[in-house]
Amino acid sequence: MPELADGLIYYFVFLFSTTLHEAAHAWTAKRGGDLTAYTGGQVSLSPVPHIRREPIGMVVLPLLSVVLMGWPIGFASAPYNPEWALRHPRRAAVMALAGPAANFLLVLLAAMALRVGVAAGVMSAPPSVTFGHVAVALGGGLWPALAFLLGVFFSMNLLLAVFNLLPIPPLDGSGAVPLWLSDNAARRYQEFLWTTPGLSWLGLFVAWKAFDYVFDPMFLGAVNLLYPGVAYQ
C-alpha cells in the first residue's frame, strides 16, 4: 500500500512541523513574559505535550484524513494569557509570527538539502512539480525516499507557514496585525478578537476557500526559486 505509506510520511512530517510551530509560539511567549504555555510543557520539541493538548487535531483527525484522502488535515494550539496580550499587544504579535517563522526555517533547510543533492548529482529538478514531489532521485537505494521526504518537508512547511500567515482570525497572521497599529488600536483589536463570537469559525471558512488562490502561486514561485533557470507553471 504505497499510498498509505506516503500518507504516513506526510503525517509524521506534519507532526514534527506542527510541534516545532507550537513550541516556537510557546518559547516566544515565555521570552515576552507569558508563562502560560511554558507551564503547560509546550516549550518542547517533544510532540507529547502538544498531542496532550490537542489529541483530535494532532492524532485522530490527521490519521483519519491520511486513511481517507492520503494526506493529513489537522490543527494544534499553544495557550496564552489574553490579558498579557492586551497589555503587550506587540509582544503577542511577535509570538504569533514565531510559529510560521519556524516553518519557514524548515522550508529553508529542506531547500538547502535539496540543493546539496542536486550539486552532488543524486537529485534533479523534476519535469513537473506537485505538492510533496519537488525533486527526483538520479540513483537507486535510499535516494528516492530521501528526495520524497525532503519534498514533503519543503511543501508541508511552506503550506503551514503561508496558511497561518493569512490575516484572518484565528490564524497567526491576524495575531500579527498589532505590529502595524498604535497601542490603543492594538488593544481594541485584541478585545474585538476575543469578544466576537463565531469569528474564528467564519475566519477558518474564509481561509479554507481562499487558500488555494494564495498558496498555488507561492508554491510554484518557491519551487522556481529552488531551481534557478527552471520555470514551472
Side-chain angles (χ1 to χ4, degrees):
M1 300 178 67
E3 295 86 359
L4 180 58
D6 288 353
L8 289 175
I9 291 174
Y10 278 108
Y11 170 68
F12 285 114
V13 172
F14 165 84
L15 183 65
F16 176 82
S17 304
T18 305
T19 294
L20 183 63
H21 179 110
E22 300 304 332
H25 282 317
W27 180 80
T28 306
K30 177 177 179 290
R31 296 275 295 179
D34 178 16
L35 301 181
T36 305
Y38 172 74
T39 56
Q42 290 187 290
V43 183
S44 171
L45 295 181
S46 167
V48 174
H50 306 281
I51 291 173
R52 188 180 298 122
R53 176 171 170 80
E54 297 284 9
I56 301 297
M58 292 198 71
V59 178
V60 178
L61 182 58
L63 287 178
L64 182 62
S65 60
V66 162
V67 172
L68 295 177
M69 298 184 297
W71 55 283
I73 296 175
F75 59 88
S77 65
Y80 68 95
N81 185 343
E83 294 182 358
W84 167 79
L86 286 173
R87 291 195 305 270
H88 307 288
R90 286 181 172 76
R91 295 184 193 178
V94 173
M95 180 267 291
L97 289 175
N103 294 126
F104 275 127
L105 175 61
L106 290 178
V107 172
L108 179 61
L109 292 175
M112 292 172 62
L114 288 166
R115 291 302 305 168
V116 169
V118 171
V122 295
M123 297 179 195
S124 177
S128 61
V129 293
T130 58
F131 187 88
H133 299 271
V134 299
V136 292
L138 300 180
L142 294 176
W143 293 118
L146 181 59
F148 176 61
L149 179 63
L150 290 174
V152 173
F153 261 100
F154 180 90
S155 304
M156 180 70 71
N157 281 281
L158 186 63
L159 182 148
L160 290 172
V162 172
F163 182 73
N164 279 285
L165 282 177
L166 293 176
I168 303 171
L171 302 176
D172 296 329
S174 70
V177 169
L179 285 175
W180 293 274
L181 301 176
S182 67
D183 288 345
N184 288 335
R187 292 187 183 94
R188 290 197 299 270
Y189 175 78
Q190 292 280 10
E191 290 172 350
F192 170 75
L193 294 182
W194 276 94
T195 58
T196 305
L199 186 62
S200 293
W201 288 109
L202 176 61
L204 286 174
F205 177 78
V206 172
W208 182 267
K209 291 296 185 180
F211 184 61
D212 285 348
Y213 299 100
V214 176
F215 181 71
D216 288 350
M218 294 200 68
F219 175 72
L220 288 176
V223 179
N224 285 330
L225 286 175
L226 179 63
Y227 299 116
V230 178
Y232 295 107
Q233 298 179 349

